[in-house]
Amino acid sequence: ATALATEVEAGLNDAYRARFGWPFIVAVRGLSRQDIIVAMRRRLQRSDDEEFAEARAQILRIAELRLDPLLAA
């Protein structure tokens, strides 16, 4: 990652936390760095309720991705 990319990501993370009061949460499996940056920018435009629902959906997705292999065994 370039220093500029890292700086952009840090700025987006700070803006997200300041806007919503919690860290940016996303299930990153299958996403590129650019996909994550685009998602952060898009999600910063949402209402608190919309983003809270999305954050919960992402937490569920992360749990599914971690639990599915364990439950399939």
Side-chain angles (χ1 to χ4, degrees):
T2 67
L4 179 60
T6 301
E7 189 175 322
V8 166
E9 291 166 11
L12 287 171
N13 268 316
D14 290 346
Y16 184 93
R17 188 180 282 274
R19 166 91 171 80
F20 296 111
W22 62 82
F24 180 73
I25 301 167
V26 66
V28 298
R29 189 177 297 174
L31 299 180
S32 70
R33 188 178 201 135
Q34 187 61 34
D35 292 335
I36 295 166
I37 291 170
V38 168
M40 289 179 82
R41 287 184 173 142
R42 182 184 69 244
R43 289 170 56 182
L44 272 166
Q45 305 306 310
R46 293 184 171 172
S47 72
D48 290 356
D49 289 341
E50 289 172 322
E51 187 52 27
F52 187 71
E54 180 63 28
R56 282 193 331 239
Q58 291 297 318
I59 291 167
L60 288 173
R61 179 71 180 136
I62 292 165
E64 287 174 354
L65 290 169
R66 290 180 179 179
L67 290 174
D68 281 350
L70 298 174
L71 297 175

